[in-house]
Amino acid sequence: MPKLILFLILLFQPLLAVAADCTPTRQTFLGNNYKPITTQKTDVGEGLRIQGRVLASKNCQPIAGARIEHWQANAEGNYVDRLRAYLLSAEDGGYRFNTDWTGLNHIHFIVTAQGYKKLTTLWAGERPQDNQINLNFVLEPQ
């Protein structure tokens, strides 16, 4: 019997991995410190890794080539160009970048992809013990 259970787990594991919460990510406000981001970079600092996937709300499928803009204030509370950049999601919808932990506990995002509504949101919270934030963005079709 244990071999049968192991077989079933291995058989359905890919389906379980795809089964994610595909509720669209909540829209928030843009704020008054946004300015167009023209620099494409994977890393804007060090000490904090942010990673996740961009997914479609309709079917939970990954969205490749989504543009993820991010910006945050420095430790003094000033929004500086060094902490502004964008990157593109990979074929599996995945993305990751490194940034500074500035102690201000929030990072802004705009996520866009062809055929989907623009998402304006932010992450807010305490510094994770493992210095990593896992954050998926779920987009709604247009």
Side-chain angles (χ1 to χ4, degrees):
M1 189 64 134
K3 288 183 181 180
L4 177 60
I5 292 171
L6 179 60
F7 173 74
L8 291 174
I9 289 171
L10 292 174
L11 179 66
F12 290 105
Q13 185 176 12
L15 295 176
L16 296 173
V18 173
D21 178 13
C22 286
T23 303
T25 303
R26 185 174 66 90
Q27 294 274 354
T28 61
F29 61 95
L30 183 61
N32 57 1
N33 292 297
Y34 175 78
K35 68 179 190 178
I37 296 174
T38 58
T39 303
Q40 182 177 0
K41 279 200 256 185
T42 303
D43 298 325
V44 296
E46 57 185 43
L48 181 65
R49 171 171 283 182
I50 300 175
Q51 65 184 22
R53 296 178 72 201
V54 181
L55 303 169
S57 65
K58 184 174 182 179
N59 56 13
C60 237
Q61 292 299 307
I63 301 174
R67 181 182 165 119
I68 304 158
E69 296 181 48
H70 58 91
W71 68 100
Q72 69 190 85
N74 63 14
E76 291 77 39
N78 300 312
Y79 285 85
V80 294
D81 288 342
R82 183 181 72 77
L83 295 173
R84 296 177 194 268
Y86 77 88
L87 64 152
L88 302 175
S89 63
E91 198 65 33
D92 67 351
Y95 75 92
R96 73 174 181 212
F97 66 93
N98 293 305
T99 188
D100 295 342
W101 177 260
T102 64
L104 296 178
N105 302 18
H106 71 280
I107 301 170
H108 299 268
F109 296 93
I110 293 178
V111 184
T112 55
Q114 187 172 3
Y116 294 89
K117 294 179 184 177
K118 176 173 144 179
L119 171 65
T120 302
T121 193
L122 64 84
W123 173 88
E126 297 298 319
R127 184 178 192 155
Q129 288 185 351
D130 62 358
N131 294 320
Q132 181 171 299
I133 297 169
N134 295 310
L135 182 62
N136 290 339
F137 299 113
V138 181
L139 306 182
E140 294 180 87
Q142 286 183 330

